[in-house]
């Protein structure tokens, strides 16, 4: 135990936060081992990108996880929190390429794949390390001995294992399908990586001439530049208008190629003209129609969305430049009928915001239907539960409507696809080995140049981090994990993929609970973003206010699934709370002679001791229950109220006379109660505010090395004193009522006055006479059963079970108070007259800015309210 009297005078987190964190790490408190005598509790961190800088969303995510892990560690679980970072595929490659271009004027192709990847690994070392240090700064009690990276040896082994297993089962296949293509990132994207937004666009109505005829059909399109890839025009087989056209040939405008009119039920007779251009290489629905009718697939764009040779004279133009030029040519040739405004949903790359181009491409896919069903069933039958439950809907919506997952990316950074091709005989081999020889012709095979979607590896995170596919004792003990803490925005990206991957490869769900939190927004409710410039750096908050104040702000009022607003005033309020705790603890420590933390003999307890112990016992119960329900905000709110109001504002004040009077036989009891309640309340607060609680606990009498590994307080039936609590609260309500009445009458606390309490519960109120003298400025407190001897002009206050009287002449000098009130009345009447004069002056109202006029009106209303109050006080004073 540190010297109780040696605690610093002022709360200064910078003096002890880093020091304490380093001590915790050095002593191995964060490390969890397989321990058959303990129950396991496991959380895997949602791995931040190595591109990263810790932002407020990370800080919230990590704070909530740390609260749960510290709580369970203190409850005696072998609590493991696995940290790590994600290679992040596109995001990282783009950053490094940008850096290369800006600083050296080079592209990745100038360096070549091997040299470029060396650069990315250098970047990872620099920035991956930075984000880990930032996690430490906010107090994250991760097991740093088990830190992982999605491209480390173990995770990479798991990726190959999964790819090969799924391929051998026929669940991974290579095929030409319509995929989402980002022309800026120059790679395929999965559906989950495409964000949809309403965009203003147009419908271009174009004539397609019928061969050997002066007639034509009209089609309407939002993407005229794909016309060069049309291989048919489709009509509904039930559409009477076009029955005779089916089977005839049309001449493709600007191209001259002949294309057939086909009948397909996909066409909606009521929409547009009832004729639809079919471009199998550039539209998912057209692709399906093309498959049914054996149509050619003509891809008319390059990877960067410039037009290729199929576009004829428009070759080399950007897609939108081509659109403009060809629409003008269609108009010149009399083939453009009309242009209609049209608002439609457009897909954009979630990384760079570029409009994605649906194109046909040869890619690798995961067959999703057979994998999705077990993941749906696992949540429906309760093996995994969402908190709040309603987020199941988002999860089900994605899984029930899922398309096959495009997993190949045209990138260099990431897990390279473990498929090899023989350029001589066309053989394909999928293997876990790093190279392959053709089994047919014996030639060295070429590896697929593409990498896997970054989510392919993070989908395995809960079990790959514990050693899978090897059957490790960690995997056997710590898996399935206990809870996943994450934001609602990555349910489709990550949560559902971990679910189906875990069920497929381990036969178990990856976690029992999915605790969903909302986004951290700015004070105006806007999402924090670089473009808005409204992000707040959590590390700056830590430097200025301390990690505990940041954590308290993020956890306060945090309801599962709800977004929260972050503003500096809330952080200042959090620091004020820390200050309040520090000052109350310092007062306690300065008045302690006891050297052990134990409950005193319960027979020696005074009324206020029983009250605070009961209140403390209640808060143990409510904090524990709410933490178990993931209601972290409610748990913290209960603690805040108990510490600020019950412990600091009341109990400490109530026991001061016993502490200061060294002859008082109950003084030692008060010291034991103070120590016991403060020490155990610090334990309850520890998961939320780990640093200040450790620092205070170390100065208090205690057993053990650290609050971190001390036992979590438990509800104790013997600390329930309901009758005493009721009595104490009657006394407290009376004290508060007297204070309020005195404040209304402007009586300073230094002015002592007699208090007469009329009640049939004399035994209760007699226990509190000393409290009335100490806390209600009573010169003496008299308890009686009737109103005898009370002067007519006494001020009365009605409280539960009693009526309290304060002799007026002891409170105020009636003449002086009336003089003061009348002077106040005169002053206010003058102000009201001045304001009304201004507002009745037409010149002022017409010339002054509206804001100034409104301010004057508001002043007038305020003065009238104040005058009303003064007149009431004069009336009651005159009647006394």
């Amino acid at each position: 135990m540190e010297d109780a009297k040696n605690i610093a005078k002022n709360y200064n987190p910078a003096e002890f936060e880093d020091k304490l964190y380093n001590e915790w790490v050095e002593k191995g408190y964060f490390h969890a081992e397989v321990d058959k005598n303990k129950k396991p509790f496991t959380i895997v961190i949602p791995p931040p990108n190595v591109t990263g800088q810790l932002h407020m969303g990370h800080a919230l995510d990590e704070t909530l996880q740390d609260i749960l892990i510290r709580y369970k560690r203190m409850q005696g679980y072998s609590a493991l929190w696995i940290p790590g970072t994600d290679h992040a595929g596109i995001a990282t490659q783009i950053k490094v390429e940008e850096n290369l271009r800006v600083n050296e004027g080079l592209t990745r192709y100038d360096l070549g794949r091997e040299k470029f990847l060396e650069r990315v690994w250098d970047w990872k070392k620099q920035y991956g390390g930075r984000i880990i240090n930032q996690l430490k700064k906010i107090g994250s009690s991760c097991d740093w001995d088990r830190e992982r990276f999605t491209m480390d040896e173990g995770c990479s082994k798991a990726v190959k294992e999964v790819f090969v297993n799924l391929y051998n089962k026929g669940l991974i296949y290579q095929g030409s399908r319509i995929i989402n293509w980002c022309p800026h990132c120059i790679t395929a994207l999965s559906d989950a990586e495409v964000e949809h937004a309403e965009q203003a666009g147009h419908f271009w109505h174009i004539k397609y001439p019928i061969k050997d005829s002066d007639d034509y059909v009209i089609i309407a399109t939002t993407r005229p530049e794909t016309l060069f890839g049309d291989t048919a025009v489709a009509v509904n087989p039930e559409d009477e208008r076009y029955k005779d056209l089916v089977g005839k040939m049309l001449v493709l405008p600007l191209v001259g190629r002949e294309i057939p009119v086909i009948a397909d039920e996909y066409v909606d007779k009521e929409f547009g003209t009832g004729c639809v251009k079919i471009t199998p290489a550039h539209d998912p629905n057209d692709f399906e129609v093309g498959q049914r009718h054996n149509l050619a697939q003509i891809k008319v764009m390059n990877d960067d969305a410039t037009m290729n040779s199929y576009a004829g004279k428009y070759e080399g133009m950007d897609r939108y430049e081509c659109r403009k030029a060809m629409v003008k040519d269609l108009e010149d040739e009399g083939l453009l009928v009309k242009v209609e405004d049209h608002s439609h949903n457009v897909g954009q790359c979630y990384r760079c915001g570029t409009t994605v181009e649906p194109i046909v491409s040869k890619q690798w896919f995961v067959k999703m239907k057979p994998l999705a069903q077990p993941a749906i069933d696992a949540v429906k039958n309760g093996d995994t539960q969402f908190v709040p439950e309603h987020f199941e809907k988002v999860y089900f919506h994605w899984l029930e409507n899922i398309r096959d997952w495009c997993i190949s990316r045209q990138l260099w950074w990431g897990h390279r696809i473990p498929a090899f091709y023989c350029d001589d005989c066309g053989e394909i081999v999928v293997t876990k080995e790093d190279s392959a020889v053709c089994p047919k012709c014996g030639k060295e095979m070429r590896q697929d140049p593409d990498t896997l979607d970054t989510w392919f590896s993070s989908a395995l995170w809960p079990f790959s981090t514990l050693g899978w596919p090897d059957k490790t004792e960690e995997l056997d003990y710590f898996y399935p994990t206990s809870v996943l803490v994450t934001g609602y925005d990555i349910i489709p990206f990550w949560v559902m993929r971990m679910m189906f991957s875990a069920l497929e490869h381990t036969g178990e769900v990856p976690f029992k609970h999915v605790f969903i939190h909302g986004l951290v927004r700015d004070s105006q409710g806007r999402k924090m973003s670089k473009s808005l410039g409204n992000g707040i750096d959590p590390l700056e908050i830590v430097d200025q206010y301390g990690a505990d104040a940041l954590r308290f702000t993020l956890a306060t009022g945090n309801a599962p699934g709800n977004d929260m607003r972050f503003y500096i005033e809330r952080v200042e309020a959090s620091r004020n709370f820390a200050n309040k705790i520090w000052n109350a603890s310092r007062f306690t420590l300065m008045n302690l002679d006891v050297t052990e933390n134990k409950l005193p003999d319960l027979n020696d307890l005074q009324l206020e001791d029983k009250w605070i112990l009961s209140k403390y016992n209640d808060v143990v119960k409510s904090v524990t229950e709410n933490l178990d329900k993931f209601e972290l905000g409610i748990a913290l709110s209960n603690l805040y109220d108990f510490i600020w109001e019950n412990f600091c504002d009341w109990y400490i004040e109530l026991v001061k006379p016993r502490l200061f009077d060294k002859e008082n036989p109950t003084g030692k009891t008060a010291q034991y109660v103070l120590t016991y309640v403060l020490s155990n309340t610090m334990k309850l607060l520890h998961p939320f505010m780990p640093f200040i609680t450790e620092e205070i606990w170390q100065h208090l009498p205690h057993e053990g090395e650290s609050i971190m590994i001390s036992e979590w307080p438990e509800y104790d039936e013997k600390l329930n004193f309901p009758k005493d609590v009721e009595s104490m609260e009657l006394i407290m309500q009376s004290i508060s009522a007297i204070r309020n009445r005195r404040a209304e009458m402007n009586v300073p606390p230094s002015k002592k006055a007699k208090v007469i309490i009329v009640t049939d519960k004399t035994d209760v109120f007699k226990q509190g006479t000393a409290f009335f003298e100490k806390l209600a400025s009573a010169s003496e407190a008299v308890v009686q059963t009737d109103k005898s001897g009370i002067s007519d002009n006494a001020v009365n206050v009605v409280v539960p079970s009693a009526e309290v009287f304060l002799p007026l002449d002891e409170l105020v000098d009636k003449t002086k108070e009336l003089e003061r009130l009348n002077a106040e009345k005169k002053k206010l009447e003058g102000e009201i007259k001045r304001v009304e004069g201004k507002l009745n002056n037409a010149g002022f109202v017409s010339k002054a800015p509206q804001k100034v006029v409104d301010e004057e009106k508001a002043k007038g209303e305020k003065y009238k309210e104040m005058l009303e109050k003064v007149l009431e006080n004069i009336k009651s004073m005159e009647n006394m």
Side-chain angles (χ1 to χ4, degrees):
M1 176 180 143
E2 294 188 24
D3 181 4
K5 308 283 188 282
N6 198 24
I7 191 166
K9 189 176 178 185
N10 297 313
Y11 168 60
N12 184 3
E15 283 178 5
F16 56 82
E17 287 191 348
D18 288 347
K19 171 180 74 81
L20 289 176
Y21 192 88
N22 293 332
E23 281 174 18
W24 292 330
V25 172
E26 279 161 27
K27 289 179 177 169
Y29 297 151
F30 301 165
H31 183 63
E33 281 290 348
V34 173
D35 184 342
K36 299 295 182 192
N37 297 319
K38 290 181 173 184
K39 285 184 187 172
F41 182 86
T42 319
I43 296 178
V44 291
I45 201 168
N49 293 349
V50 287
T51 52
Q53 171 83 6
L54 197 73
H55 59 63
M56 208 50 91
H58 290 128
L60 171 65
D61 210 41
E62 270 47 283
T63 296
L64 299 178
Q65 289 168 85
D66 198 39
I67 290 167
L68 294 173
I69 213 86
R70 284 178 184 272
Y71 164 54
K72 288 294 178 182
R73 194 183 282 123
M74 291 171 77
Q75 276 194 324
Y77 288 77
S78 183
L80 170 62
W81 185 12
I82 299 179
T85 47
D86 190 3
H87 68 281
I90 299 176
T92 308
Q93 180 161 316
I94 286 173
K95 277 263 166 69
V96 179
E97 283 195 82
E98 207 176 292
N99 206 29
L100 200 59
R101 190 181 68 249
V102 172
N103 296 327
E104 300 175 52
L106 298 173
T107 69
R108 62 175 154 140
Y109 301 103
D110 295 326
L111 290 183
R113 187 168 192 144
E114 212 172 298
K115 286 269 185 288
F116 176 75
L117 288 178
E118 282 174 18
R119 293 290 187 98
V120 191
W121 278 105
D122 289 344
W123 174 281
K124 182 260 164 189
K125 282 184 195 109
Q126 184 184 347
Y127 290 94
R130 185 176 69 172
I131 203 154
I132 293 299
N133 288 331
Q134 291 173 335
L135 291 174
K136 291 176 176 177
K137 196 82 182 150
I138 61 170
S140 308
S141 61
C142 301
D143 188 342
W144 299 112
D145 299 341
R146 299 185 190 271
E147 187 189 327
R148 302 302 301 269
F149 175 55
T150 48
M151 277 172 61
D152 66 24
E153 199 180 325
C155 291
S156 298
K157 180 181 176 183
V159 165
K160 284 184 180 175
E161 181 85 16
V162 165
F163 191 97
V164 173
N165 288 353
L166 292 176
Y167 180 79
N168 290 339
K169 285 182 180 177
L171 290 171
I172 279 183
Y173 64 92
Q174 197 178 26
S176 286
R177 293 278 182 282
I178 289 284
I179 50 99
N180 307 293
W181 184 265
C182 175
H184 177 263
C185 299
I186 311 202
T187 184
L189 302 172
S190 69
D191 290 348
E193 291 170 303
V194 177
E195 292 175 342
H196 291 273
E198 278 292 314
Q199 252 184 36
H202 299 92
F203 256 138
W204 283 270
H205 293 252
I206 303 167
K207 291 178 186 176
Y208 279 42
I210 300 166
K211 188 187 173 190
D212 300 331
S213 156
D214 292 335
D215 216 349
Y216 53 83
V217 297
I218 297 173
I219 64 95
T221 178
T222 58
R223 294 160 72 212
E225 64 279 6
T226 62
L227 171 152
F228 306 106
D230 288 0
T231 49
V233 164
V235 295
N236 190 293
E238 304 298 314
D239 196 331
E240 294 296 331
R241 293 172 295 177
Y242 302 118
K243 267 201 166 150
D244 298 343
L245 269 181
V246 176
K248 290 195 175 172
M249 300 303 278
L250 305 175
V251 179
L252 192 57
L254 305 179
V255 180
R257 180 162 43 82
E258 293 179 12
I259 60 171
V261 177
I262 60 171
D264 196 284
E265 285 177 352
Y266 153 68
V267 181
D268 180 355
K269 289 188 293 184
E270 309 304 319
F271 187 73
T273 63
C275 294
V276 178
K277 69 195 262 322
I278 301 298
T279 323
H282 288 272
D283 182 278
N285 295 313
D286 294 5
F287 178 83
E288 300 297 334
V289 174
Q291 297 287 92
R292 287 196 286 274
H293 295 270
N294 206 18
L295 298 174
Q297 296 167 358
I298 301 173
K299 190 174 159 192
V300 302
M301 284 180 209
N302 300 311
D303 288 349
D304 61 355
T306 55
M307 307 306 290
N308 65 17
S309 59
Y310 283 105
K313 70 172 188 175
Y314 310 100
E315 184 180 0
M317 287 185 181
D318 168 74
R319 55 184 162 167
Y320 298 126
E321 191 187 345
C322 167
R323 178 186 292 181
K324 213 170 168 181
M326 65 177 289
V327 165
K328 185 179 186 306
D329 290 348
L330 285 167
E331 194 172 6
D332 291 347
E333 290 184 26
L335 294 171
L336 186 66
V337 180
K338 60 176 177 175
V339 183
E340 280 179 329
D341 287 340
H342 173 66
S343 181
H344 57 149
N345 232 348
V346 172
Q348 296 170 327
C349 173
Y350 83 123
R351 284 280 170 213
C352 66
T354 303
T355 299
V356 297
E357 194 62 49
I359 56 171
V360 73
S361 181
K362 195 175 187 187
Q363 301 283 349
W364 288 92
F365 294 87
V366 175
K367 203 175 278 182
M368 280 312 308
K369 286 287 181 218
L371 293 170
Q373 199 52 52
I376 291 168
D377 296 340
V379 172
K380 285 197 168 160
N381 64 27
D383 294 342
T384 293
Q385 295 173 329
F386 276 79
V387 181
E389 200 179 337
H390 65 81
F391 280 103
E392 286 178 357
K393 288 178 191 161
V394 180
Y395 174 81
F396 290 140
H397 172 77
W398 271 90
L399 283 170
E400 285 163 0
N401 298 286
I402 202 153
R403 295 198 310 172
D404 286 357
W405 174 18
C406 175
I407 53 170
S408 42
R409 296 289 179 271
Q410 290 62 52
L411 303 169
W412 289 353
W413 174 244
H415 293 99
R416 197 156 171 188
I417 288 173
F420 295 82
Y421 307 109
C422 178
D423 291 329
D424 281 15
C425 66
E427 184 69 7
I428 297 180
V429 169
V430 168
T431 174
K432 296 177 213 170
E433 302 304 320
D434 291 335
S435 60
V437 171
C438 181
K440 284 191 174 169
C441 65
K443 288 269 175 72
E444 188 74 27
M445 299 180 90
R446 173 177 60 84
Q447 188 172 358
D448 194 309
D450 287 355
T451 54
L452 286 161
D453 176 8
T454 183
W455 299 100
F456 192 91
S457 50
S458 49
L460 320 178
W461 189 246
F463 49 96
S464 67
T465 51
L466 288 164
W468 187 93
D470 297 339
K471 289 180 167 45
T472 63
E473 61 171 349
E474 277 86 358
L475 186 68
D476 182 53
Y477 179 73
F478 287 112
Y479 184 82
T481 68
S482 309
V483 58
L484 172 75
V485 181
T486 192
Y488 57 68
D489 50 335
I490 57 171
I491 292 172
F493 285 109
W494 193 43
V495 179
M496 69 176 192
R497 286 176 178 156
M498 283 189 283
M499 283 292 285
F500 66 67
S501 300
L503 287 161
E504 172 65 22
H505 303 297
T506 71
E508 294 183 272
V509 294
F511 23 71
K512 306 221 173 53
H513 289 97
V514 180
F515 172 26
I516 298 287
H517 59 76
L519 301 175
V520 184
R521 298 185 175 274
D522 70 6
S523 56
Q524 296 171 45
R526 299 172 305 173
K527 189 176 175 178
M528 290 187 179
S529 71
K530 279 183 192 165
S531 56
L532 283 175
N534 63 341
I536 298 172
D537 182 352
L539 277 303
E540 283 181 18
I541 298 290
V542 171
D543 287 344
Q544 197 174 347
Y545 298 96
D548 284 331
L550 172 69
R551 292 168 64 111
F552 183 88
T553 306
L554 291 168
T556 304
N558 191 290
N562 287 3
D563 290 349
M564 65 170 295
R565 292 190 180 194
F566 190 96
Y567 38 95
I568 294 301
E569 291 78 3
R570 285 186 60 190
V571 188
E572 286 169 352
S574 303
R575 188 194 47 199
N576 292 346
F577 177 56
N579 243 328
K580 182 94 170 172
I581 296 169
W582 189 266
N583 292 337
S585 304
R586 192 167 174 275
F587 169 81
T588 302
L589 291 163
M590 292 299 150
N591 289 283
L592 281 193
D593 300 322
V594 299
T595 54
E596 55 185 332
N597 175 18
K598 65 170 191 179
L599 275 171
D601 186 328
L602 298 186
N603 294 319
D604 292 342
L605 295 176
Q606 303 299 296
L607 179 65
E608 65 271 29
D609 302 333
K610 291 177 179 177
W611 170 75
I612 196 67
L613 285 167
S614 279
K615 286 290 185 185
Y616 154 75
N617 207 27
D618 290 344
V619 94
V620 169
K621 190 178 187 181
S622 67
V623 169
T624 306
E625 284 175 357
N626 280 301
L627 282 173
D628 288 341
K629 291 189 295 192
F630 301 101
E631 288 287 3
L632 278 54
I634 296 175
L636 189 51
S637 172
N638 295 156
L639 262 172
Y640 175 88
D641 292 344
F642 171 77
I643 293 168
W644 192 292
E645 291 173 24
N646 297 341
F647 187 74
C648 297
D649 285 357
W650 280 102
Y651 185 68
I652 284 179
E653 294 304 319
L654 291 166
V655 296
K656 273 181 180 176
R658 290 161 63 190
L659 295 174
F660 295 157
D661 180 1
K662 296 300 173 194
E663 305 302 312
N664 190 324
T666 68
K668 272 278 189 286
T669 303
Q671 287 191 41
Y672 278 121
V673 172
L674 268 172
T675 303
Y676 181 83
V677 172
L678 179 56
S679 175
N680 282 325
T681 304
M682 289 303 99
K683 288 184 185 182
L684 295 175
L685 187 61
H686 176 73
F688 302 92
M689 303 176 84
F691 297 104
I692 189 173
T693 49
E694 176 78 283
E695 186 68 8
I696 288 166
W697 190 84
Q698 289 293 352
H699 284 86
L700 284 163
H702 64 267
E703 284 180 9
E705 284 183 3
S706 166
I707 194 169
M708 247 196 84
I709 51 170
S710 65
E711 281 183 25
W712 183 257
E714 289 187 5
Y715 180 79
D716 186 348
E717 196 53 57
K718 74 173 185 289
L719 296 183
N720 264 357
F721 306 102
K723 277 201 162 57
D724 299 279
V725 168
E726 191 186 341
S727 297
M728 189 68 223
E729 291 192 341
L730 286 175
I731 293 166
M732 288 162 64
Q733 283 166 339
S734 304
I735 289 168
S736 295
I738 293 166
R739 283 171 162 179
N740 291 341
R741 194 73 178 92
R742 286 172 61 104
E744 282 169 15
M745 297 173 68
N746 292 308
V747 182
S750 57
K751 176 90 172 163
K752 303 282 183 190
K754 189 176 181 181
V755 169
I756 304 156
I757 301 148
V758 177
T759 178
D760 54 4
K761 293 190 174 176
T762 51
D763 54 332
V764 169
F765 284 92
K766 277 181 177 168
Q767 291 179 82
T769 52
F771 304 140
F772 284 99
E773 288 166 18
K774 171 83 178 66
L775 300 175
S777 302
S779 51
E780 66 171 314
V782 177
V783 182
Q784 54 192 60
T785 52
D786 55 34
K787 297 181 183 178
S788 59
I790 299 171
S791 64
D792 293 341
N793 73 348
V795 176
N796 78 319
V797 186
V798 179
V799 293
S801 305
E803 194 172 1
V804 180
F805 293 88
L806 310 167
L808 180 68
D809 51 1
E810 290 193 27
L811 286 175
V812 290
D813 180 323
K814 185 175 173 180
T815 312
K816 274 190 178 169
E817 184 59 11
L818 274 170
E819 271 175 25
R820 189 190 68 77
L821 287 168
N822 279 310
E824 184 72 8
K825 173 188 161 210
K826 192 175 176 186
K827 184 181 162 195
L828 287 167
E829 284 169 343
E831 287 297 330
I832 291 165
K833 194 174 175 186
R834 182 191 62 73
V835 170
E836 285 177 348
K838 260 189 174 181
L839 294 174
N840 291 332
N841 179 343
F844 169 75
V845 175
S846 63
K847 287 175 188 167
Q850 189 57 43
K851 191 183 170 196
V852 175
V853 175
D854 291 343
E855 280 173 5
E856 286 299 323
K857 281 181 183 168
K859 277 184 198 169
E861 292 305 314
K862 186 182 80 177
Y863 294 145
K864 281 175 187 170
E865 272 176 40
M866 289 166 72
L867 180 61
E868 211 173 299
K869 192 82 182 151
V870 168
L871 292 170
E872 271 175 37
N873 286 347
I874 289 172
K875 192 175 177 185
S876 61
M877 189 64 67
E878 285 173 345
N879 291 337
M880 283 176 179

